[in-house]
Amino acid sequence: MNTILGTWHWLTTAEHYRGTAGVPHRLLEHVVISGIAVGLAVLIALPLGLWLGHVGHGGAVAINVSNIGRAIPTFAILVLLATVPSLFGDAGAVLALLVFAIPPILTNAYVGMREVDPDVREAAVGMGMAGITLVRRVELPLALPLVAAGVRTATVQVVATATLAAYVGAGGLGRFIADGFGLQDTPMILSGAILVALLALVTEIGLGRLEVGLTPGRRRGSPTPGGAAQVRG
Amino acid sequence: MLCGGRGFGRGGGHATVPFVAANPWFSWSYITQHASELLSATRQHVALTVWSVLVATCIAVPMAVVARRWGWSRGTILTGVGILYTIPSLALISVLQAYFGLRPITVEIALVGYALLIIVRNTLIGLDGVPAEVREAALGMGFGPTRLLTRVEIPLALPSIMAGIRVATVSTIALVTVGAIVGNGGLGGLILEGLNNLYRAEIMAAALGCVLLAFIADLLLLGLQRLVTPWTRRRAG
């Protein structure tokens, strides 16, 4: 009971919302670190996945990369990168998060392109479409729900894993948990946990809504990803 | 699997930090000198994983059966396990440690929570995939609901359930490491220790150990899957 009251007290203390160690600044750090990681992952994995799916090669590679990725602990990669002095902190965190954001985006883009009905593709080719036009006008719109699901999975995962980055000197909401453990301050730990969980849920639900909006006529039913599962961090 | 290790090795070779010579990315001598330490950490890692996946399976399969039998509960169950899965592991473990302390059960509850989604979802996919004709034939042969479930539906869903257990096991092995934050992380303990000493060989050994464990567990479960579903192999062959 004391812990719950203490946490409520921590969350409602105005002092915890000011300055560079306050909640708004930590939230901003969290969002910026996650945003950069996801943005870079999209830039790298999306064109590659779409291209591999379009030409229909390298599927085994794309899927295997995802499966191996699941077995590598995110925590280990974060810590390993942090042992390079120039990467300790935000830079190493972004790099580690990027590594784990690529597989779901890559796999879903590949699977999405591959799952386009061959008859539809053939009809488009018969109409004289080829190359970029075929991708842009036919394949990509049909693959969009799965592609979007991949980006959502990666984003939620990055937001969650960015919490761990506090242990390797990065900013973000995880700092309240890591510092709270250091200070043996349970209300601080629990407040950090609640804030992080809320951010992850808001990200998941918000992107889920966006995804439903991107799916014309809800062709694929519920917005459940059919490709890669999220790597937990 | 080993490519990751070599990749990082190359990166280390190019880094121009003063202590790089004394701080290799990979060291056999570390592994041989700390074999007993690595072994006991691995033992804890395996124990946490096996316990969590077993408990998760015992909860998730009945949950999926309930979700399928009573349609109204399906959305609630899927949303519930989905929300649980979304909560960052560090947050969940932190909350649990406030009540359960620095004990293995803190980590185990979190691991069970995350494995639920994967196994529930796969079991549901498997049960949904049982052809209606098969179900009708069984009913026509006089099977009651319980016998229908245990003798027809579950066996037919088994490949999908096993696939879920495999994915859950591999991700649990990776996730156990976060338990180090509350002193029960198996090989994760060595990762955290390596972070405090900035000792790369220790971190790398623990990370490779996790990947190796995941690889072995996946192979064993694949063998088990083949053993309990011999008909799928015959059909495929």
Side-chain angles (χ1 to χ4, degrees), chain A residues 1 3-4 67-77 79-86 88 156 159-161 163-164 166-168 174 177-178 181 186 189-190 192-194 196-198 200-201 204-205 224-225 229-233, chain B residues 1 8 15 17 19 23 25 82-99 102 114 118 121 167 170-171 173-175 177-178 180-182 188 191-192 194-195 198-200 203-204 206-207 210-211 214-215:
Chain A
M1 231 29 212
T3 351
I4 295 173
N67 286 342
I68 292 170
R70 222 199 309 276
I72 304 171
T74 43
F75 187 46
I77 299 298
V79 169
L80 267 180
L81 288 176
T83 62
V84 179
S86 58
F88 187 83
V156 174
V159 167
T161 314
T163 319
L164 278 174
Y167 275 86
V168 293
I177 301 177
F181 269 108
T186 305
I189 298 172
L190 290 182
I194 290 169
V196 161
L198 278 178
L201 284 173
E204 164 86 19
I205 293 167
T224 314
Q230 180 181 341
V231 177
R232 283 239 48 96
Chain B
M1 173 170 73
F8 283 113
V17 279
F19 60 90
N23 195 3
W25 291 92
I83 288 175
L84 196 58
Y85 196 80
T86 307
I87 298 172
S89 53
L90 186 57
L92 188 54
I93 289 176
S94 314
V95 172
L96 289 169
Q97 73 67 48
Y99 295 94
L102 306 178
Y114 293 130
I118 303 170
R121 215 186 247 176
V167 173
V170 170
S171 26
I173 289 173
L175 195 56
T177 53
V178 181
I181 307 294
V182 292
I191 296 175
L192 198 61
L195 173 66
L198 283 178
Y199 187 31
R200 288 171 190 155
I203 305 166
M204 184 63 88
C210 289
V211 176
F215 186 69

Side-chain angles (χ1 to χ4, degrees), chain A residues 44-111:
Chain A
I44 296 167
L46 204 54
L48 187 63
L50 292 177
W51 180 71
L52 288 175
H54 174 67
V55 298
H57 291 304
V61 175
I63 308 274
N64 277 328
V65 163
S66 294
N67 286 342
I68 292 170
R70 222 199 309 276
I72 304 171
T74 43
F75 187 46
I77 299 298
L78 271 168
V79 169
L80 267 180
L81 288 176
T83 62
V84 179
S86 58
L87 288 179
F88 187 83
D90 293 341
V94 166
L95 204 59
L97 295 174
L98 171 67
V99 168
F100 287 94
I102 286 176
I105 299 176
L106 185 67
T107 314
N108 270 40
Y110 176 82
V111 173

Side-chain angles (χ1 to χ4, degrees), chain A residues 9-34:
Chain A
H9 183 72
W10 195 99
L11 283 170
T12 50
T13 302
E15 195 193 316
H16 296 143
Y17 291 81
R18 288 195 208 107
T20 50
V23 172
H25 189 254
R26 291 294 186 212
L27 175 66
L28 183 70
E29 285 175 340
H30 204 112
V31 170
V32 168
I33 291 172
S34 307

